[in-house]
Every structure is written in structure tokens, then in C-alpha cells.
Amino acid sequence: MPSTELQQQLLPKGFLWGFATASFQIEGSTGADGRGKSIWDDFSNTPGKTLDGKGGDVATDSYRLWKEDIQLLKSYGVKAYRFSLAWSRIIPLGGRNDPVNELGIKFYSDFIDELIANDIVPFVTLYHWDLPQALHDRYGGWLNKDEIVQDYENYARLCFTRFGDRVKHWLTLNEPWCIAVLGYGRGIFAPGRSSDRTRSSEGDSATEPWLVAHHEMLAHAHAVKAYREDFKALQGGQIGITLNGDWSMPYDDSPENVAAAQHARDVAIGTDPIYLGSYPEFMKEMLGDRLPEYSPEEWAIVHGSSDFYGMNTYTTNMIKAGGEDEFQGKTMYTFTRPDGTQLGTQAHSPWLQTYPEGFRALLNYLWKRYQKPIFVTENGFSVKDEGSMPLEQALQDTDRVEYYQGATQSILAAIHEDGVDIRSYFAWSLLDNFEWAEGYTTRFGVTYVDYETQTRYPKASQKFVTSVRASLSALSLQRSS
Ligand code: PNW
């Protein structure tokens, strides 16, 4: 093979690839070993909050089957595994003066040891939406700046202290936009607050999401400051935040739709405060005095508080100007092109269609705008109606294979043709699991889970992802030796 062609197919040295999960979506055993409740426990068991009425009490039973899960990862040949820690297993009541639960710490400590013993790099999310319920009850959780920032920093410090000798990749928060907007604006995620009184008796969608987002940024930034000052020199890891953000494409080339596509991005990926030290102009315009200000001291902590750009991305939306939805930057999203055709293949999740070109465009946009190495920490696809298919059919997940084929091509093109610095790729998800408000009806796994028996069955997409990454890594190794 000519060397340029070979070059095109390599993954950079040290590139981490693997699969991702989150504690509440897989662990189950919500009452085991002294775990405290999280805001998702009762919420997910409340009738009407999930599509199939099911909560997270069992999920994929991974708190009990963790060794089996690690063997699965091993058999898939991954380099790394991204998972999250349940705050309420470690500090059941969550607060800085509350007792620490050694059994919870032991669980994650053993888990990390077992990963390392199997040559799998632990890539750890500190917070993937499962706030200790006690903090919500005590002071309103994410709504209370002074308390949550201190309690989160305390929890993060404890994790660095107990796991940081072995964990070198930390994510502070998963998808702050989802926490703020879906939890406190639309009210479809825990704690389910919203101005929509058919959903919630409490909440203010005009103000709370922006406050929550502000407090999330500060909590994240304080944890990073703590890591850099007191742990990094000794432990030598990296730390950052991970954001959801999909590519937005103007519906057509009219100036108002072109401007709208940028507005959609400004709100969906509003991370300029971290990377540029300022808010996007459009956010200021749209929110006026509802946009919380940072004091100069706070700006100093927030700006530069991520070693990398953590990227969760799934789809592309076509954007039209107009409408009143602030969470979309007063734009309208569509998958239907002007000529009536669809952008890509429809997933089971209504918000998701395939469009690999959008993934490449987003990688380029973020690289140019922020100039930070990019860790892709989630990317995946839910096959339409997979949950109601017979097993044999579900295992032939062709749409998901095509999705990952497209993603692989986009990553390689972004690295080799566009010069984007990409350091990881985690497919969402290792297993079918609890898909939040969609319950278990939506399946994102490369492994099929039979929830009756908790049996795991690899799908065609797992074989695809494993074989393509393994051969790309093997090539890289050959070239570098
Ligand atoms: C992410 N949306 O959530 C989460 O990090 C995962 O826990 C989740 O399972 C995965 O994506 C698949 O949904 C999202 O409505 C939830 O646009 C909703 C949206 C985006 C991401």
C-alpha cells in the first residue's frame, strides 16, 4: 500500500477507543451497600416520567454483573472504558459534612483495578446526572450556588484522593445543557422542574435553566482548580468537561437561516465561557438580565478550566430562523430538506438521524473555535423499533453499522485531511440500557441486553467497531515501531 494511503488509515498513537456508559443507566441495585437515593430514583419510578413506566432499580444489573461487563469489554478488545461514578454510592447524602461510604468507594476501586488488570484505561465521569436526592431536598441541588459548588468540589476531591492514583482521565460533568434544559426547563429529566404546570407544580423555565447552567460551570471549574492545584502534579492526569452538541446546518442559504444556525449552536454548545472567557453575543441578546454574570474572580476560574474539549455528539439538525424556543436559540429544527427528502436514516430516538458529514463539520468547527484537543466521549445510534424485534433481527443492526462506518470515515478525514487533533472515540453504548425518559424502549447498545435474563448478546455493530478500530490501531503500532 502506498504510504500516503496507509497514513490515511492510521489512528494517532495513544488514541483511546472504547465504549461508554453511565452509572444510573446500568447499575441497578439502588439500595445496595449503603447507596443513597439519587434524583433519578423516585423520578424514574413515578408513573408518566418514563415511556414504558420503568425506572432504574435493576437496569442492566451491572452493579452485580460488573466482572462480566469487564470481560465483555476485554473480549471486544477495547483500549478504554468510559463510565461514571454514582455520587450517592460514595457520599450517600452528598454533602461535604455527610458521611463517606467506604463500601461505595470499594466498589469503584475494585472496578478500576479490574479494568487496569485487563489493560483497559479507565475514563471516569464524576457526574452523569444522578445528583444525591438529599442535596436536592436540603437546598434545591443545582439551584443553590454556594452549596452545590462546595459540595461538588468536596466530592470531586474525594474521588481524586481515592482513585486518582489509577485514573488519569477525568470528566467533571456530563452534558450540562441536558441537566439544565431538560431537568429545569422542559422538565422531562429529573428533577423535572418546569413552567409547564401539566408537568410540574414547581419551576421557572425562563430563569432556572440558566442559573443551573451557571452553577454547573462554577462547580466544574472549582473541581478542576482543585485537581490542578492539589493533585495533578502528583497524579499527572487530565481533566475536562464533556458537552452535548450536534452540528447545525442552515435549512437553506437565506441569510436569516444562516444566522439562525449559528444561534442554535451558540445555545446548544454555549461553552465560550470555558474556552474563550466570554459569552456568545447572541446569548446576551436573547437573555438580557436573565443571563447570570460571573464576577471577575469567577471568570478567572472558569476561563481555561478544561484541558480538552469533551464531545458527545449524535446528529445534525437543519435550522430555520423563528419560533420562541430559547433552548434552541429561537430557531426551528428539522430533518426534512427543502426538497422534502430526509437528511438521513431515522433512529428510534425522534431527535436522531444519521449524517456523518455533520460530525466532520462539527469536529472542524470546534477545533477552529477552541483550539483544544478533542476527546469524543459519546457517539451512537438507536435502531428504529429494535426493542420490539425478535432477538435474531435485533442483532443484525445494519443501520447502526452504517452509522459507525460513517463516523469512522469522518474521524479519519478530520484527523488526516483537516488536521483536527482528536484523542479518543467512545461509542455510546457498551450495552442497551436505561435510556432516561425513554425507559428501555430505546436501545443504543452494541450489545443486546435481554432484560428478563440479563443475558448479553453482541450485535453486528460491535463486531464492526471492534474490527475496524483494532485494525487501525494495529497499523498505527506497526508504523510507530
Ligand atoms: C446523552 N437530546 O443524552 C447522554 O449522555 C446519555 O446518557 C444518553 O443515553 C445518550 O446521549 C443517548 O440519548 C442525550 O434530546 C439525551 O438531544 C437527549 C438528547 C441528547 C443527548
Side-chain angles (χ1 to χ4, degrees):
M1 197 186 288
S3 71
T4 46
E5 216 173 295
L6 183 63
Q7 185 70 34
Q8 304 262 313
Q9 296 186 35
L10 301 180
L11 288 171
K13 223 178 149 198
F15 189 90
L16 297 176
W17 74 272
F19 300 99
T21 60
S23 46
F24 193 77
Q25 293 179 273
I26 64 164
E27 285 180 355
S29 299
T30 46
D33 294 343
R35 176 186 177 278
K37 273 189 184 180
S38 85
I39 54 171
W40 271 93
D41 287 40
D42 291 347
F43 182 86
S44 67
N45 285 325
T46 305
K49 299 298 184 193
T50 63
L51 218 53
D52 54 4
K54 296 192 178 125
D57 296 342
V58 181
T60 63
D61 209 9
S62 289
Y63 188 76
R64 295 192 316 118
L65 300 178
W66 63 278
K67 284 198 174 160
E68 199 178 300
D69 286 352
I70 292 177
Q71 281 318 302
L72 202 61
L73 285 161
K74 172 105 178 150
S75 74
Y76 291 176
V78 304
K79 291 222 179 300
Y81 179 48
R82 176 182 170 225
F83 62 101
S84 81
L85 309 178
W87 186 342
S88 69
R89 287 196 193 278
I90 293 171
I91 309 175
L93 298 175
R96 56 199 181 281
N97 299 313
D98 293 321
V100 168
N101 179 25
E102 288 300 332
L103 288 175
I105 292 188
K106 182 175 182 330
F107 173 74
Y108 290 118
S109 192
D110 291 348
F111 191 87
I112 291 163
D113 283 343
E114 184 80 4
L115 283 174
I116 293 171
N118 284 281
D119 289 323
I120 300 169
V121 173
F123 205 108
V124 177
T125 314
L126 287 167
Y127 184 82
H128 199 123
W129 307 353
D130 41 0
L131 184 77
Q133 178 71 45
L135 299 186
H136 183 77
D137 296 342
R138 193 179 288 165
Y139 55 70
W142 285 109
L143 287 166
N144 188 319
K145 171 167 140 178
D146 293 333
E147 295 291 341
I148 195 70
V149 171
Q150 292 187 65
D151 282 345
Y152 179 81
E153 182 186 329
N154 171 72
Y155 160 64
R157 280 182 178 274
L158 178 62
C159 295
F160 303 148
T161 305
R162 305 299 289 271
F163 310 125
D165 55 337
R166 290 154 290 160
V167 173
K168 306 301 167 193
H169 299 274
W170 293 102
L171 296 169
T172 52
L173 301 177
N174 180 72
E175 303 191 346
W177 183 95
C178 286
I179 299 167
V181 171
L182 305 181
Y184 297 79
R186 302 206 198 284
I188 58 173
F189 281 7
R193 294 172 68 88
S194 174
S195 294
D196 179 350
R197 292 286 167 259
T198 64
R199 279 193 180 280
S200 170
S201 59
E202 290 172 31
D204 181 351
S205 306
T207 54
E208 289 186 3
W210 313 113
L211 286 171
V212 165
H214 188 64
H215 304 161
E216 289 179 295
M217 291 303 102
L218 289 167
H220 146 80
H222 278 270
V224 171
K225 184 170 183 282
Y227 186 74
R228 287 177 178 164
E229 288 178 358
D230 297 336
F231 299 92
K232 193 178 169 106
L234 195 64
Q235 298 181 347
Q238 299 183 60
I239 187 163
I241 194 164
T242 199
L243 305 150
N244 54 303
D246 293 326
W247 183 238
S248 57
M249 214 161 60
Y251 178 69
D252 55 25
D253 49 21
S254 72
E256 60 278 17
N257 290 339
V258 171
Q262 183 60 45
H263 297 164
R265 236 170 277 149
D266 285 342
V267 179
I269 315 177
T271 36
D272 288 8
I274 290 180
Y275 298 103
L276 304 178
S278 59
Y279 277 120
E281 281 307 314
F282 176 73
M283 292 283 288
K284 297 194 226 170
E285 236 171 77
M286 181 177 82
L287 295 175
D289 59 11
R290 285 182 294 134
L291 185 67
E293 233 338 310
Y294 294 103
S295 70
E297 298 74 42
E298 289 172 343
W299 270 120
I301 296 175
V302 169
H303 186 196
S305 61
S306 201
D307 294 339
F308 50 80
Y309 187 93
M311 180 193 205
N312 289 355
T313 193
Y314 288 85
T315 194
T316 293
N317 292 291
M318 280 180 290
I319 308 293
K320 289 188 208 178
E324 285 307 308
D325 190 339
E326 290 187 335
F327 307 133
Q328 295 180 183
K330 297 195 173 176
T331 71
M332 294 177 289
Y333 286 15
T334 180
F335 288 130
T336 308
R337 291 196 177 90
D339 67 6
T341 59
Q342 292 296 290
L343 186 67
T345 307
Q346 180 61 50
H348 197 74
S349 317
W351 50 269
L352 173 51
Q353 286 198 355
T354 51
Y355 191 66
E357 297 85 345
F359 182 29
R360 180 175 176 182
L362 182 62
L363 287 162
N364 275 275
Y365 171 82
L366 293 168
W367 173 240
K368 282 200 191 85
R369 191 175 178 93
Y370 298 139
Q371 297 282 314
K372 283 279 175 196
I374 296 172
F375 283 87
V376 178
T377 46
E378 278 182 32
N379 185 240
F381 190 80
S382 53
V383 174
K384 194 153 181 44
D385 299 325
E386 197 178 279
S388 44
M389 285 176 193
L391 175 65
E392 289 311 312
Q393 195 187 343
L395 297 184
Q396 297 310 316
D397 55 342
T398 311
D399 287 353
R400 189 177 287 107
V401 170
E402 284 172 6
Y403 182 91
Y404 285 128
Q405 261 162 354
T408 304
Q409 280 159 6
S410 291
I411 290 256
L412 291 174
I415 293 173
H416 296 296
E417 291 171 41
D418 310 335
V420 182
D421 183 353
I422 306 172
R423 308 273 174 98
S424 75
Y425 181 86
F426 290 94
W428 183 273
S429 179
L430 172 65
L431 303 166
D432 292 336
N433 56 45
F434 175 71
E435 178 54 17
W436 309 112
E438 293 180 32
Y440 297 90
T441 52
T442 301
R443 292 173 176 263
F444 269 95
V446 297
T447 311
Y448 186 93
V449 176
D450 175 342
Y451 292 109
E452 297 297 315
T453 60
Q454 292 295 345
T455 312
R456 278 91 160 113
Y457 301 91
K459 301 179 193 175
S461 57
Q462 177 275 316
K463 297 184 181 76
F464 172 78
V465 174
T466 292
S467 68
V468 75
R469 304 266 174 246
S471 56
L472 291 171
S473 311
L475 277 171
S476 318
L477 218 64
Q478 263 175 28
R479 291 271 297 182
S480 62
S481 60

